[in-house]
């Protein structure tokens, strides 16, 4: 395995994204089933800068080559290496019914249909705020997940800084929550939600413009039983979205939901996020469902760092960006974090690239 | 909500199982959909001693009563309370295809069929070793989960102290691993596996009697890429099964799988387990899939503490005991724990009851 560890080390030095040898192995497993760079990133669960640099190094080692269709393929030397190391093609037994989430979106067809009809007029994802919407199937499954955990009916719910997914809208559409507060930095989304709440006579829901870099006022702190969010994977954003999300919770036994991806964060950083959750915020993790959130491709992809550093020019043709769905629960002694933060390194750092 | 918190506090004092008010709320949500005590335990995700004591307290408060069919039901006072607090019936949108696991067992029908045929002659679960087998669907889904994460093909795999589930057998049946070592304290299971390995000519798998209270010898430490286990939920067993599991792993980027339940452990203890994983063993948690493992009822149920402290005499008629499926990954600096442990409080403590 020495070659894999050598490549991991070189890529780590070049990109500052932490890696281990098995990350390189996993990328080779992906190349055995697809030549598409974006599918390779998806299957190997790696930040784009790392996956891109691994491909480039393996090309210069004569293990991979890029054919004239921009497919990434093994050379004869690569085939020999893969056979020698016993590396097998990546397998995928994900459930076709629930898309691996455990809760199928079609369990509430009426909610799904209503949501899709309303979402067709949604504001387009824009780059300024790191937007990229999840599929309607993802959004509806999030609501069914909450409902199955007793985190929907009769609850006060805040949906924070992730309304490009329209999760707040979907929660409100159920009319099962006691109160829904949607906050987002993007006025287009806030206006969109408020217009629908008004048109449909949903009077327990409201949407409000808010920049999560600022501390919450007292009328939001400690007022909710459930928060939902979807932060960029920088430490500053993790605190602004999740620390502040916890600060909105009333008491012990309340729940927080958020997405965390391995496409803009290494598994090493996940451990640091988990240390913050467990040691600093004093909450417990109850669920981590990999690949729960499926993100639709965004129009501004060609402008992103991801597109610029990719080893190929070809754009993604299918869903390749996914994130895990975390649920946390507050326990006695949990900490509310609500400091102001500067906007340095808020959306993007060395492991991120899709903003 | 004051009544819920009061009951939680009283039950905590009586049972020493830590609780919060929402645990009591969740139990009432369960009573709104079933009168069966074991289904109520299942839906409310509580240790049996806590669920049992909550029912007893709510009966003495005049909120619940037990009818002559031994069903647990709300009194008029209970109905009024539930309405006043806005408590809703527990919902369940679990995927019917994969049973909520994300990977459906029928994705490999041949493995499933072979496994079921062989397992029909399995040794019966006995109480001495806290045994209780998972369903064949669970066992096969575990294997598909490993395969989907690149943790099966060409890997050296150890299955530790959980062979009542025959997971080691199922892994070996795929013939995809490089090496499979099964260890268990129960000689009946070891003989069963070794006989099948011999009959089917599976020569890369072996089974060996081992008591996990004893430290591993050098020829097991640091030899594997993947461990699988399913500990009792005491701290001593957690270390013996999971600390020692991590000690078998070769290097960074290796994986461990295990079940942890909320039927024999509170969510408070889960947080302590997570502190040990993150801070002491220095691994990262990559997956927590709730209710992944479904346990078949065991013949010795009437002899268990669970049966003795239950508020009803009626035995379970359906699956009620489930556990979450954890996956962890080693990172640089991970710690191998391999100390000897005494057998005090190994199988059972204040939160456990099903041994």
């Amino acid at each position: 395995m020495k070659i894999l560890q050598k490549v991991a080390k070189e890529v780590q030095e070049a990109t500052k994204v932490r890696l281990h040898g098995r990350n390189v192995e996993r990328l080779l497993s992906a190349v055995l089933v697809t030549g598409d760079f974006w599918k390779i990133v998806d299957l190997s669960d790696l930040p784009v800068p790392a996956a891109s640099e691994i491909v480039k190094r393996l090309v210069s080692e004569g293990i991979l080559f890029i054919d004239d269709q921009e497919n990434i393929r093994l050379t004869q030397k690569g085939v020999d290496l893969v056979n020698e190391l016993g590396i097998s093609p990546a397998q995928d037994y994900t459930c076709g019914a629930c898309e691996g989430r455990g809760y199928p979106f079609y369990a509430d067809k009426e909610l799904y249909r209503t949501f899709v009809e309303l979402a067709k007029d949604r504001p387009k994802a824009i780059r300024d705020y790191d937007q990229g919407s999840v599929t309607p199937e993802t959004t509806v499954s999030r609501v069914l997940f909450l409902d199955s955990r007793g985190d929907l009916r009769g609850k006060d719910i805040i949906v924070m800084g992730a309304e490009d997914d329209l999760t707040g809208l979907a929660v409100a559409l159920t009319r099962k929550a006691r109160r829904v507060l949607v906050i987002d930095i993007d006025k287009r989304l806030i206006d969109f939600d408020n217009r629908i709440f008004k048109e449909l006579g949903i009077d327990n829901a409201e949407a409000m413009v808010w920049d999560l870099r600022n501390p919450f006022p007292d009328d939001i702190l400690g007022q909710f039983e459930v928060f939902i969010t979807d932060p960029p994977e920088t430490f500053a954003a993790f605190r602004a979205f999740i620390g502040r999300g916890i600060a909105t919770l009333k008491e012990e036994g309340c729940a927080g939901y958020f997405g965390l991806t391995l496409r803009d964060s290494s598994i090493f950083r996940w451990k640091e996020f988990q240390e913050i959750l467990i040691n600093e915020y004093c909450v417990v993790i109850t669920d981590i469902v990999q690949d729960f959130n499926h993100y639709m491709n965004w129009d501004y992809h060609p402008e992103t760092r991801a597109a610029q550093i990719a080893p190929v020019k070809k754009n993604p043709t299918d869903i390749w960006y996914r994130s895990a769905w975390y649920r946390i629960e507050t326990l006695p002694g949990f900490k509310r974090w609500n400091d102001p933060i500067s906007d340095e390194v808020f959306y993007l750092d060395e492991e991120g690239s899709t903003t």
Side-chain angles (χ1 to χ4, degrees), chain A:
Chain A
M1 290 277 189
K2 273 179 193 150
I3 175 76
L4 304 185
Q5 269 122 12
K6 174 178 160 276
V7 170
K9 196 166 162 240
E10 287 171 1
V11 171
Q12 177 165 327
E13 277 162 16
T15 62
K16 310 294 171 215
V17 180
R18 285 163 292 177
L19 289 172
H20 48 57
R22 278 199 75 193
N23 294 132
V24 181
E25 178 191 337
R26 194 87 183 127
L27 185 137
L28 287 168
S29 286
V31 173
L32 286 169
V33 295
T34 178
D36 182 280
F37 175 69
W38 302 102
K39 288 193 181 145
I40 290 169
V41 173
D42 186 12
L43 286 171
S44 51
D45 268 333
L46 281 174
V48 180
S52 178
E53 189 64 25
I54 293 172
V55 169
K56 289 173 188 171
R57 296 276 157 156
L58 292 174
V59 167
S60 65
E61 295 274 352
I63 290 165
L64 296 179
F65 72 103
I66 300 176
D67 71 14
D68 48 15
Q69 309 291 311
E70 292 206 301
N71 285 309
I72 293 158
R73 301 175 55 191
L74 289 166
T75 61
Q76 183 58 51
K77 184 178 167 189
V79 172
D80 293 344
L81 177 76
V82 155
N83 287 339
E84 185 198 322
L85 299 178
I87 297 175
S88 297
Q91 302 296 314
D92 183 9
Y93 296 100
T94 301
C95 182
C98 64
E99 301 184 325
R101 297 186 189 97
Y103 301 103
F105 68 91
Y106 55 78
D108 189 342
K109 287 193 199 71
E110 200 180 319
L111 175 62
Y112 178 68
R113 241 188 270 124
T114 309
F115 180 79
V116 167
E117 284 169 14
L118 291 168
K120 79 179 193 318
D121 300 320
R122 70 203 299 164
K124 267 198 170 181
I126 53 173
R127 196 181 169 196
D128 302 22
Y129 308 126
D130 183 39
Q131 289 174 342
S133 310
V134 298
T135 61
E137 296 75 31
T138 302
T139 302
V140 170
S141 299
R142 286 177 175 177
V143 176
L144 302 181
F145 195 114
L146 261 71
D147 201 10
S148 296
R149 299 309 171 83
D151 291 328
L152 175 65
R153 289 166 203 246
K155 302 300 178 205
D156 296 335
I157 301 176
I158 183 167
V159 185
M160 305 168 41
E163 197 54 8
D164 43 332
D165 297 335
L166 299 180
T167 304
L169 176 65
V171 169
L173 284 174
T174 66
R175 298 173 194 253
K176 304 284 189 213
R178 185 162 57 191
R179 176 189 172 200
V180 183
L181 176 62
V182 180
I183 61 166
D184 201 277
I185 197 171
D186 187 350
K187 190 168 181 300
R188 302 173 310 146
L189 295 165
I190 297 307
D191 292 343
F192 181 77
D193 275 4
N194 278 331
R195 193 169 59 240
I196 292 175
F197 296 157
K198 202 173 165 191
E199 280 170 16
L200 299 184
I202 300 175
D203 50 18
N204 69 335
E206 57 173 324
M208 184 178 92
V209 173
W210 189 265
D211 182 339
L212 281 168
R213 283 170 288 207
N214 301 320
F216 276 140
D218 282 349
D219 62 351
I220 289 183
L221 292 174
Q223 299 298 311
F224 296 88
E225 276 131 351
V226 178
F227 79 84
I228 309 169
T229 191
D230 198 7
E233 275 73 11
T234 62
F235 287 104
F238 186 85
R239 291 182 182 282
F241 285 66
I242 293 163
R244 242 188 267 298
I246 293 168
T248 71
L249 297 178
K250 278 184 190 171
E251 59 188 359
E252 57 207 50
C254 291
Y257 291 87
F258 50 89
L260 278 187
T261 187
L262 290 166
R263 307 289 180 279
D264 277 319
S265 157
S266 68
I267 190 74
F268 294 70
R269 182 172 295 177
W270 267 38
K271 175 162 187 292
E272 292 160 346
F273 288 148
Q274 292 178 3
E275 286 170 5
I276 296 173
L277 291 171
I278 307 271
N279 300 329
E280 194 174 332
Y281 299 156
C282 298
V283 297
V284 60
I285 306 168
T286 65
D287 301 78
I288 304 177
V289 183
Q290 289 284 350
D291 293 345
F292 186 101
N293 301 296
H294 297 189
Y295 295 76
M296 298 185 280
N297 287 306
W298 32 91
D299 290 347
Y300 63 82
H301 172 82
E303 300 161 42
T304 60
R305 186 176 158 226
Q308 281 150 21
I309 60 180
V312 296
K313 296 235 176 326
K314 210 161 54 168
N315 288 330
T317 54
D318 201 353
I319 286 170
W320 67 277
Y321 193 99
R322 300 175 212 268
S323 75
W325 189 228
Y326 272 66
R327 181 183 182 276
I328 56 165
E329 197 171 306
T330 52
L331 293 178
F334 77 94
K335 296 290 186 312
R336 295 197 175 91
W337 188 95
N338 194 33
D339 297 348
I341 55 164
S342 80
D343 60 1
E344 280 180 75
V345 202
F346 192 70
Y347 290 124
L348 205 64
D349 61 10
E350 71 282 2
E351 296 192 348
S353 68
T354 65
T355 299

